[in-house]
Amino acid sequence: MTDGTVEGGLDEPGELEPAPGSLDLADPEDRWTVADWEHQAAAVLRKSRRLTDEDPDDRVWARLTRTTLDGIGVTPLGTRAMLDEVRTSGRPLRQGDWDVRVRVDGRDAALAHEEALADLDGGVTSLWLVGGTDLATVLDGVLLDLAPVVLDGVDPHAFLAHVGDRELHPGTNLGVPAAEATADLARTARDRGVLGFVIDATAVHDRGASDAQELAWSMAAAASYLRTLTDAGLTVGEAARLVEFRYAATDEQLATIAKLRAARRLWARVLEICEAPLDGLVMRQHVVTSSPMMSKYDPWVNLLRTTVAAFAAGVGGADSVTVLPFDTPLGRSDELARRIARNTSHLLIDEAHVAHVADPAGGSYAVEKLTDDLAAVAWRIFGELEDGADLEAAIADTVARREAQVATRKRPITGLTEFPNLAEVLPERPGEPDPVRRYGASFEALRDAPAATPVFLATLGTVAQHTARATFASNLLAAGGIAVDVAGPTKDPDELAEAYAGQPVVCLAGSDQTYLEWGEAAAERLRAAGATHVVIAGKPVDWTDDSCAMGVDALDFLTRTREKLA
């Protein structure tokens, strides 16, 4: 063999080789068009009466497209046509496993030390130390050259004095807020070979900011940070290498993936405008599962929320991921909750192999389009902030719109606004709970002070006739901390009245036909027996005082009902 061929070998059958891009592996019956999908989707929507027979099939796009709090339409299906004018950038650059970072509350030094060592022994790879002054106790036994420590509210000078000449992991971060950056701190961090500053966008996320507002705030903070340090004599590149960005990951999977991709794109654009050499200037992202998305009630559901959020963070390319324990809203997490939190990342990395694929979401039409849309909106808001716009007013508007969605249960919170369990016993945890106002805070307030008097659930007819609306009404009332006394199967107003025990509020639950046949008579009979407020589960009628049905402002309805019970 002299020229790369094997003597005596067979000639390559070149005539059998297909032209590039011509290989078609689909059978004719497996070929589907967008019109085919529209037809099938429209058939489903017509069955649920969300489309009429007269509506064209392509109306499904309008019916199924969801609009985010940033005004971005998320379509039900990603198609190649979406990317015709989209610039793809912001792809993850992380190679291999992400850094599993745990949050450690350093105020109780002995307990923090115990938790930190247990987490490190359990596979955590870095510590996020929040507060505290007794560093000698907290960090005793921590190998600082192997496990990065990220400070938050800890004196960086005290930390450096404590470590002395010991080698520090390059991922160590002095944790100084970017707004407090100084040239001296920057040079100190650079000389020690560590990071110095944090742009913590979770601060605005926790106040209720949307994804685009969170991104825009981080870019405004980054621009201010770069101005401060370059005015002090550092180059843009030197300043950029010393900062880490912190973002929140929610259980809205696609939005979180797109947000992290959009963040890298925005940062690259900022550096480009600053005429910084982009080689080696990689955005470092520390992503934390969202605090506001969690729920105090049925906290076990938080396990599902944080798992989805951690998955999205990993797929989105986060360098470090912190999974908050499921019992965070209740107080200081116990050992089991912390173990589950850190193991969430281990399962995603070692069992699901999420970190072993470079850019798993790359090429997804939906993700690429959402990334582009989110980056464009965030860049516009960033420009407005640079011109002096009031972000707090914009966040307040976002909070109000989200609250309205939660109140009408268009943004359901499982275990709180949906499928609540009034009989649950919450795990007890020491210490103060997370002070962040959660998305379901208004409903949590109702659950914190349950109504003393139950509602009489006046079930009309057989179980088959009343169960759908009875279940709906029971869950709705439970979301407001209101228990129900159920009548059970009944055949007429007299039998219903026999089950009545004098509750001031009654809620009728039955089929439309039963309402027509004896619903009004049942209401009159219950009023005569002492009921002062009659509610109907279904469309409003003129012979009841109130009604509840799908789409009702649940918070307003529950508040009115509790007032009548009182």
Side-chain angles (χ1 to χ4, degrees):
M1 182 177 68
T2 58
D3 59 353
T5 61
V6 179
E7 294 182 5
L10 299 177
D11 294 335
E12 292 288 338
E15 68 278 3
L16 299 179
E17 182 178 348
S22 66
L23 187 61
D24 191 349
L25 300 178
D27 291 331
E29 62 270 20
D30 294 325
R31 295 188 179 94
W32 302 96
T33 65
V34 172
D36 292 327
W37 175 83
E38 291 173 349
H39 180 69
Q40 296 294 331
V44 175
L45 293 187
R46 289 189 179 101
K47 286 183 180 180
S48 61
R49 299 180 182 179
R50 296 180 64 186
L51 282 182
T52 67
D53 291 338
E54 291 73 30
D55 288 326
D57 288 350
D58 61 6
R59 188 80 180 274
V60 298
W61 294 97
R63 283 285 184 263
L64 297 178
T65 294
R66 177 178 62 86
T67 303
T68 71
L69 291 169
D70 292 308
I72 299 171
V74 181
T75 60
L77 183 70
T79 64
R80 185 186 297 272
M82 289 180 175
L83 305 186
D84 287 346
E85 298 180 1
V86 170
R87 173 188 171 189
T88 299
S89 63
R91 290 182 169 176
L93 299 176
R94 187 199 69 239
Q95 296 181 351
D97 301 352
W98 58 80
D99 167 36
V100 181
R101 183 171 296 174
V102 67
R103 186 180 187 272
V104 178
D105 184 344
R107 290 175 294 178
D108 184 333
L111 181 56
H113 174 251
E114 179 183 339
E115 291 174 342
L117 292 188
D119 287 327
L120 290 168
D121 287 342
V124 160
T125 51
S126 70
L127 301 178
W128 173 18
L129 180 58
V130 181
T133 57
D134 189 357
L135 298 176
T137 298
V138 175
L139 299 177
D140 183 32
V142 177
L143 303 179
L144 300 177
D145 57 332
L146 299 179
V149 175
V150 176
L151 307 182
D152 187 348
V154 178
D155 184 354
H157 299 292
F159 171 76
L160 293 175
H162 167 70
V163 300
D165 295 332
R166 281 183 287 175
E167 181 181 355
L168 296 175
H169 189 283
T172 301
N173 195 327
L174 301 182
V176 178
E180 301 173 13
T182 65
D184 288 341
L185 283 170
R187 294 187 179 97
T188 298
R190 182 189 61 190
D191 293 344
R192 287 305 311 262
V194 299
L195 303 172
F197 308 102
V198 172
I199 294 175
D200 189 358
T202 66
V204 291
H205 171 84
D206 289 350
R207 296 204 300 273
S210 67
D211 290 332
Q213 289 167 343
E214 183 181 348
L215 289 171
W217 180 90
S218 70
M219 290 303 112
S224 177
Y225 162 79
L226 292 177
R227 293 189 192 102
T228 297
L229 291 190
T230 53
D231 288 346
L234 278 76
T235 67
V236 172
E238 288 173 330
R241 288 185 178 90
L242 294 174
V243 68
E244 181 176 56
F245 291 76
R246 184 175 296 141
Y247 293 108
T250 72
D251 53 3
E252 295 187 43
Q253 177 179 307
L254 294 183
T256 294
I257 295 171
K259 178 168 70 174
L260 302 183
R261 294 165 68 93
R264 281 186 288 272
R265 177 173 174 179
L266 294 167
W267 180 232
R269 179 57 178 154
V270 169
L271 295 177
E272 182 182 16
I273 291 174
C274 293
E275 299 182 349
L278 297 182
D279 292 343
L281 294 184
V282 178
M283 177 189 235
R284 298 181 62 94
Q285 292 182 345
H286 172 205
V287 179
V288 186
T289 58
S290 168
S291 287
M293 77 170 178
M294 302 177 87
S295 173
K296 170 183 176 180
Y297 288 95
D298 204 350
W300 315 102
V301 181
N302 293 331
L303 293 169
L304 305 180
R305 298 183 179 105
T306 56
T307 298
V308 173
F311 172 83
V315 171
D319 299 290
S320 302
V321 176
T322 297
V323 176
L324 296 180
F326 75 89
D327 56 355
T328 298
L330 301 173
R332 188 154 190 152
S333 299
D334 68 1
E335 182 180 357
L336 174 63
R338 295 180 70 86
R339 179 162 64 87
I340 294 175
R342 63 177 182 260
N343 283 349
T344 300
S345 278
H346 294 320
L347 287 170
L348 291 170
I349 293 170
D350 299 321
E351 299 291 340
H353 304 290
V354 174
H356 300 164
V357 178
D359 190 16
S364 163
Y365 301 138
V367 171
E368 299 285 7
K369 182 66 167 62
L370 185 54
T371 298
D372 189 72
D373 290 342
L374 189 53
V377 174
W379 189 260
R380 173 181 58 78
I381 298 174
F382 169 39
E384 293 170 356
L385 294 179
E386 289 286 279
D387 291 337
D390 182 5
L391 180 62
E392 294 307 316
I395 291 176
D397 176 69
T398 299
V399 169
R401 287 184 286 119
R402 185 189 290 111
E403 289 269 350
Q405 292 176 1
V406 173
T408 55
R409 303 199 293 183
K410 293 179 180 178
R411 184 182 287 265
I413 304 175
T414 303
L416 184 63
T417 67
E418 301 284 349
F419 312 110
N421 177 15
L422 287 182
E424 73 173 312
V425 178
L426 295 178
E428 294 184 3
R429 296 292 183 265
E432 293 296 322
D434 189 339
V436 170
R437 189 178 194 279
R438 292 177 288 277
Y439 298 150
S442 296
F443 284 87
E444 289 184 352
L446 296 178
R447 292 285 298 278
D448 288 342
T453 305
V455 164
F456 177 64
L457 190 61
T459 46
L460 280 62
T462 65
V463 171
Q465 290 174 320
H466 70 238
T467 189
R469 280 180 170 145
T471 301
F472 169 82
S474 297
N475 281 329
L476 174 59
L477 292 166
I482 304 173
V484 296
D485 291 333
V486 184
T490 57
K491 60 183 179 183
D492 55 39
D494 290 335
E495 191 169 312
L496 189 64
E498 290 178 6
Y500 176 65
Q503 299 89 340
V505 176
V506 301
C507 178
L508 303 178
S511 65
D512 289 340
Q513 185 61 36
T514 308
Y515 288 157
L516 287 173
E517 292 174 356
W518 54 284
E520 185 172 3
E524 292 177 357
R525 184 73 176 81
L526 290 169
R527 289 186 196 277
T532 58
H533 187 72
V534 179
V535 179
I536 186 170
K539 296 179 180 178
V541 293
D542 57 7
W543 40 269
T544 61
D545 304 302
D546 207 343
S547 64
C548 59
M550 292 294 293
V552 68
D553 185 328
L555 193 61
D556 187 44
F557 168 78
L558 292 168
T559 301
R560 295 196 305 269
T561 303
R562 288 169 64 100
E563 289 173 352
K564 297 299 181 181
L565 286 171

